[in-house]
Amino acid sequence: MSSPKRLGFVLVGAALALVLVVGLATVVGLRIRRDARYGTVLDRQATSATVESGERFSIRVPDRGASVGDNWTATAEPADAVALVEDELISGSLTDRIFGPSDGGGGGNRYFLFDARRSGQVTITLANCFQGCGSERTRAASETVTWTVTVS
């Protein structure tokens, strides 16, 4: 017969194992969901990629938020090779994700989600015209980044 102390250890061990399994399943589930939503994610370190026709892929750029003056736009050439599905700002702050951005906040990463439509090479350009690019200072804070994506 088991002692109460041994039974307590077994129950604690089983509870810890359950917490570990649930935590691992959550992480795996979130990863699968992220991969399904964003597909292959490109950033400034990966400015070229090959994707399959019909595949989803995303381009991620840092975004200081509209309240600061970031205004990212995307163009693709040829335009019919990919379809821009949407762009989405994911806040860098957990508080902003839950409650919405505070005044002057909202920075994080902007994701441009694309679906590859037809085979060939496409050049995707993201441009940030900071605060309208109306002065030398704002033009200096603006930027343009280009990616080359081969759709096979």
Side-chain angles (χ1 to χ4, degrees), residues 3-152:
S3 70
K5 191 174 194 179
R6 181 179 171 132
L7 183 60
F9 284 129
V10 169
L11 290 175
V12 168
L16 288 174
L18 180 62
V19 167
L20 185 65
V21 167
V22 169
L24 183 60
T26 300
V27 168
V28 169
L30 289 173
R31 176 69 188 236
I32 290 170
R33 180 179 172 270
R34 187 194 78 194
D35 288 350
R37 173 137 174 84
Y38 298 104
T40 300
V41 178
L42 308 175
D43 57 21
R44 291 179 183 170
Q45 285 73 46
T47 57
S48 64
T50 300
V51 297
E52 299 290 323
S53 183
E55 187 179 335
R56 165 89 31 104
F57 68 96
S58 302
I59 298 177
R60 176 181 60 217
V61 289
D63 190 317
R64 293 167 285 198
S67 63
V68 174
D70 273 356
N71 182 28
W72 286 96
T73 57
T75 58
E77 186 60 43
D80 63 341
V82 296
L84 177 61
V85 176
E86 71 175 295
D87 70 278
E88 173 183 30
L89 178 65
I90 304 294
S91 176
S93 161
L94 182 59
T95 304
D96 284 355
R97 287 184 195 177
I98 295 170
F99 300 109
S102 57
D103 291 340
N109 288 302
R110 182 160 302 278
Y111 288 79
F112 287 83
L113 286 68
F114 293 91
D115 286 339
R117 287 199 155 162
R118 66 171 180 81
S119 297
Q121 194 171 65
V122 60
T123 301
I124 299 172
T125 302
L126 299 186
N128 179 16
C129 185
F130 185 68
Q131 295 181 347
C133 299
S135 70
E136 193 61 38
R137 179 189 63 80
T138 58
R139 281 189 293 278
S142 300
E143 63 181 309
T144 301
V145 186
T146 302
W147 286 262
T148 302
V149 177
T150 303
V151 179
S152 57

